[in-house]
Amino acid sequence: MSAWRAGWRKVAEKARPRLRRPPLLVLPAAGWFLWFLLAPLAIIFVYSFASKGVYGGVVMKFSLSNYVRSADLIYLHIFWNSIKLATLTAASCLLIGYPMAYVMATASARMRAFLLVMVVVPFWTNFVVRAYAVKVLLGEQGPVNALLASFGLISEPVVFANTAFAVWLGMVTNYLPFMVLPLYVSLEKFDFSLLEAARDLGASPVKVLFKVLVPLTKPGIVTGLVFTFTPALGEFVIPDLLGGAKTMLVGNLITEQFLKTRDWPFGSALSLLLILTVTGSLVLYLRMEARRQKAEEGA
Amino acid sequence: MSGAAWGRPRPKAPVAAKAMTAFAFLLIYVPLAALVVYSFLGPSNGPGTPDAGTLVWYEKVFSNTQILGSLYASLWVGLWSTVGATVIGTAAALALERTRFPGRGVLEGIVHVPLIMPEIVLGLSMLMWFVLLRITLGYFSIILAHITFSVSYVIITVKARLHGFDDSLEEAARDLGASPWQVFWRVTFPLIWPGVLSGALMAFTLSFDDFLITFFTAGVGSDTLPLKIYSMIKFGVSREINALSTLMLVFTFALVMFFFRPSKGVKTVT
């Protein structure tokens, strides 16, 4: 069935008219991307080798000083903070999201549709609002403190605000859909009879999980990790609102260069380093995706 | 999705997985519920007494001209960026899905750049570009920025809906003597418009909700609703923010419910 479908798709693909030049219809989009996406990104590259003028302008004289400066211990430490937070977020999302995706993939069609909507709805709500909701929940007069007090567990309100826990909660609830959706797509196509086969052959549940389920849903896991890790790396608004900006992150540092110190060249260099990290994980992701498609078409 | 996987028997998920799912939904929805509940509570009369139910925060929101101004700005920006992104994106999706041409792969790659690039990078790169081009930062620059990331989502959504589009219908119309313009409006558009609508709704929601890119491209004195909420949170917590946030939640929920409304025979695009 699926082989037939893949074959049919290939025929349809071949039947598509092959044009010598890009059609007129793509020109507006291509022009727009060129002018408002690629040119601005190129500016980051160019400015990162310039230097800051006396009054905050950009002096176009080639130098590597911004990159040398970004290797300073202070800035390396800030990069490290961001990597730690992004890793913790991605790992937490995987641990929470994998069982969720498994439940969704094995649920009845009705339940599955319901769960999908439940996962996607917060994805569409404003993330400033969601961060604020976490602040309300954990506030000194918030419901968690009220509940603890009513059970007589605490006499003084517990200060959750501006703690690592508040930041963790805000980050995880924000990025969870990015993890669950690709995992769900992977698990939805998974042939669950393989689990049974492995069990029949005497594999323990743990072995089934790590030798069958995880390897076969690896594309979903990698996609999920890329989609949570990369945006989390540049994130600073959630830590800012929930953590009281106690730890400096790459996002704060970059924003400061643009809105406070007006050192655009240094900010550009930092942004380029961020882009390089993101591109690195994107290349990894695209490779996996290409391999998956090849395997699918061969099936 | 793939037809083959559907028929196979699926095992029941372990209890631990179900418990984790329930826990995750609690993590997501309890804060939102707290936000909504507290928007209806007034300050208590001293410690120990429970807060009283009130609509005072909503009255404050609706009499705050600054908030209403930023709401108006958000709707205006959303409208124009949706129009721009939908027209540009639909045209590109039609060509990308149905023809092959040199550079198609490159363009497909570029479409995904706004999805994977950190928002902060998109925002500041456009800030520098606008300043370089001497485009005054304000609602116009926000609209340009919003179109840039929305076009990608429109292209992806419309393309997904075009998958499996039957080209022979257009061929039949052409054979019967319809002009290209007639073919588009009488045959193609009626067939693809659910996809176009999905793309437009997505573009509007993204624009209405965007914070970071707007933050960089807004300049001084132009506030959209998310920017306004952010500065309200920064400058002290009042339950007026709860009321405003609740209204935004309701609005987005309504949009999403419309987006995901049960439709028979039409695949929901996530």
Side-chain angles (χ1 to χ4, degrees), chain A residues 1-245:
Chain A
M1 178 90 177
S2 72
W4 182 83
R5 274 174 86 105
W8 187 82
R9 207 176 288 160
K10 227 180 247 171
V11 172
E13 177 80 15
K14 283 223 179 92
R16 277 184 195 142
R18 200 187 269 271
L19 309 177
R20 278 171 175 223
R21 277 174 300 158
L24 279 176
L25 283 174
V26 299
L27 292 187
W32 194 281
F33 281 140
L34 196 66
W35 192 244
F36 288 115
L37 182 71
L38 300 182
L41 291 176
I43 284 295
I44 295 183
F45 182 78
V46 173
Y47 277 6
S48 73
F49 294 105
S51 41
K52 182 191 170 193
V54 185
Y55 302 106
V58 178
V59 178
M60 298 301 284
K61 213 180 93 195
F62 181 84
S63 90
L64 288 171
S65 60
N66 297 310
Y67 290 99
V68 174
R69 194 176 149 202
S70 63
D72 192 297
L73 260 184
I74 310 169
Y75 301 124
L76 288 180
H77 186 71
I78 293 172
F79 257 92
W80 178 236
N81 283 342
S82 286
I83 291 172
K84 266 196 305 193
L85 181 67
T87 308
L88 180 71
T89 304
S92 306
C93 285
L94 181 62
L95 280 180
I96 298 173
Y98 202 90
M100 281 178 90
Y102 189 93
V103 168
M104 283 161 67
T106 52
S108 66
R110 264 188 97 105
M111 191 63 182
R112 178 188 305 222
F114 171 72
L115 290 176
L116 254 179
V117 172
M118 289 279 282
V119 168
V120 174
V121 164
F123 181 68
W124 291 118
T125 56
N126 188 276
F127 95 111
V128 179
V129 167
R130 265 177 290 139
Y132 178 66
V134 172
K135 211 179 168 81
V136 171
L137 180 77
L138 299 177
E140 278 183 39
Q141 284 143 13
V144 170
N145 266 313
L147 204 68
L148 290 175
S150 71
F151 284 125
L153 290 173
I154 50 168
S155 51
E156 289 283 303
V158 181
V159 182
F160 291 109
N162 302 345
T163 59
F165 174 70
V167 175
W168 177 84
L169 187 57
M171 292 292 279
V172 168
T173 51
N174 191 54
Y175 289 111
L176 199 54
F178 293 92
M179 177 61 84
V180 174
L181 292 178
L183 283 177
Y184 168 73
V185 170
S186 237
L187 278 162
E188 207 261 340
K189 285 189 230 147
F190 180 73
D191 182 356
F192 284 93
S193 57
L194 290 174
L195 297 185
E196 219 173 299
R199 292 286 288 147
D200 287 350
L201 292 170
S204 68
V206 176
K207 229 176 176 176
V208 172
L209 177 65
F210 287 107
K211 294 271 171 171
V212 182
L213 197 59
V214 169
L216 285 173
T217 51
K218 207 169 141 204
I221 296 175
V222 174
T223 311
L225 287 175
V226 169
F227 280 179
T228 46
F229 182 82
T230 46
L233 200 60
E235 181 62 66
F236 71 99
V237 179
I238 294 172
D240 186 40
L241 286 176
L242 295 172

Side-chain angles (χ1 to χ4, degrees), chain A residues 16-20 23 26 32 35 47 105-106 118 121 124 126 132 141-143 173 188 191-192 240 254, chain B residues 8 10-11 21 27 29 35 38 88 95 97 100-102 124 128-129 132 148 209 230 234 242 252-253:
Chain A
R16 277 184 195 142
R18 200 187 269 271
L19 309 177
R20 278 171 175 223
V26 299
W32 194 281
W35 192 244
Y47 277 6
T106 52
M118 289 279 282
V121 164
W124 291 118
N126 188 276
Y132 178 66
Q141 284 143 13
T173 51
E188 207 261 340
D191 182 356
F192 284 93
D240 186 40
I254 293 176
Chain B
R8 293 191 194 120
R10 277 149 196 269
T21 308
L27 284 186
Y29 284 99
L35 176 85
Y38 274 58
I88 298 170
E97 181 64 27
R100 297 206 285 173
F101 52 86
L124 64 89
M128 291 195 292
W129 185 239
L132 194 70
T148 306
D209 272 347
Y230 177 76
K234 278 295 232 186
N242 291 45
T252 322
F253 271 45

Side-chain angles (χ1 to χ4, degrees), chain B residues 106-118:
Chain B
V106 177
L107 188 58
E108 292 255 14
I110 295 172
V111 167
H112 288 85
V113 169
L115 278 70
I116 199 77
M117 204 48 83

Side-chain angles (χ1 to χ4, degrees), chain B residues 80-134:
Chain B
W80 286 111
S81 56
T82 301
V83 170
T86 307
V87 172
I88 298 170
T90 303
L94 277 169
L96 279 172
E97 181 64 27
R98 302 171 55 200
T99 53
R100 297 206 285 173
F101 52 86
R104 178 173 164 227
V106 177
L107 188 58
E108 292 255 14
I110 295 172
V111 167
H112 288 85
V113 169
L115 278 70
I116 199 77
M117 204 48 83
E119 270 197 276
I120 182 171
V121 171
L122 290 177
L124 64 89
S125 69
M126 283 192 260
L127 164 69
M128 291 195 292
W129 185 239
F130 292 152
V131 169
L132 194 70
L133 293 181
R134 297 182 195 284

Side-chain angles (χ1 to χ4, degrees), chain B:
Chain B
M1 294 212 176
S2 75
W6 272 98
R8 293 191 194 120
R10 277 149 196 269
K12 283 211 154 52
V15 179
K18 285 184 177 167
M20 185 60 104
T21 308
F23 171 69
F25 281 126
L26 280 179
L27 284 186
I28 296 170
Y29 284 99
V30 166
L32 293 178
L35 176 85
V36 173
V37 169
Y38 274 58
S39 75
F40 292 108
L41 295 179
S44 59
N45 310 311
T49 53
D51 292 353
T54 177
L55 285 176
V56 65
W57 309 117
Y58 287 89
E59 284 164 20
K60 277 198 171 172
V61 166
F62 284 112
S63 56
N64 187 328
T65 50
Q66 276 186 348
I67 290 177
L68 294 177
S70 61
L71 168 69
Y72 182 69
S74 272
L75 291 172
W76 188 247
V77 167
L79 175 73
W80 286 111
S81 56
T82 301
V83 170
T86 307
V87 172
I88 298 170
T90 303
L94 277 169
L96 279 172
E97 181 64 27
R98 302 171 55 200
T99 53
R100 297 206 285 173
F101 52 86
R104 178 173 164 227
V106 177
L107 188 58
E108 292 255 14
I110 295 172
V111 167
H112 288 85
V113 169
L115 278 70
I116 199 77
M117 204 48 83
E119 270 197 276
I120 182 171
V121 171
L122 290 177
L124 64 89
S125 69
M126 283 192 260
L127 164 69
M128 291 195 292
W129 185 239
F130 292 152
V131 169
L132 194 70
L133 293 181
R134 297 182 195 284
I135 295 174
T136 316
L137 297 180
Y139 296 119
F140 181 63
S141 61
I142 298 175
I143 292 172
L144 293 179
H146 282 196
I147 290 178
T148 306
F149 66 78
S150 301
V151 167
S152 289
Y153 287 90
V154 173
I155 291 178
I156 289 166
T157 314
V158 177
K159 257 188 71 183
R161 288 278 178 125
L162 278 172
H163 208 84
F165 182 86
D166 189 355
D167 289 344
S168 58
L169 292 169
E170 289 181 335
E171 233 167 90
R174 269 194 297 274
D175 287 350
L176 292 169
S179 68
W181 197 245
Q182 275 176 324
V183 172
F184 180 76
W185 286 112
R186 299 277 183 88
V187 180
T188 318
F189 189 73
L191 284 169
I192 64 166
W193 86 269
V196 176
L197 185 67
S198 301
L201 273 174
M202 182 151 347
F204 185 83
T205 319
L206 286 168
S207 163
F208 193 77
D209 272 347
D210 181 73
F211 171 75
L212 210 48
I213 290 171
T214 317
F215 182 68
F216 277 101
T217 52
V220 187
S222 31
D223 265 350
T224 60
L225 208 46
L227 290 190
K228 183 76 198 153
I229 294 180
Y230 177 76
S231 64
M232 282 169 77
I233 298 171
K234 278 295 232 186
F235 292 111
V237 176
S238 141
R239 287 192 187 159
E240 202 178 333
I241 310 171
N242 291 45
L244 180 56
S245 301
T246 303
L247 291 171
M248 272 191 85
L249 282 180
V250 170
F251 183 66
T252 322
F253 271 45
L255 272 183
V256 175
M257 284 306 147
F258 183 66
F259 194 64
F260 283 101
R261 73 199 179 284
S263 50
K264 289 204 175 90
V266 182
K267 206 178 91 192
T268 311
V269 177
T270 43

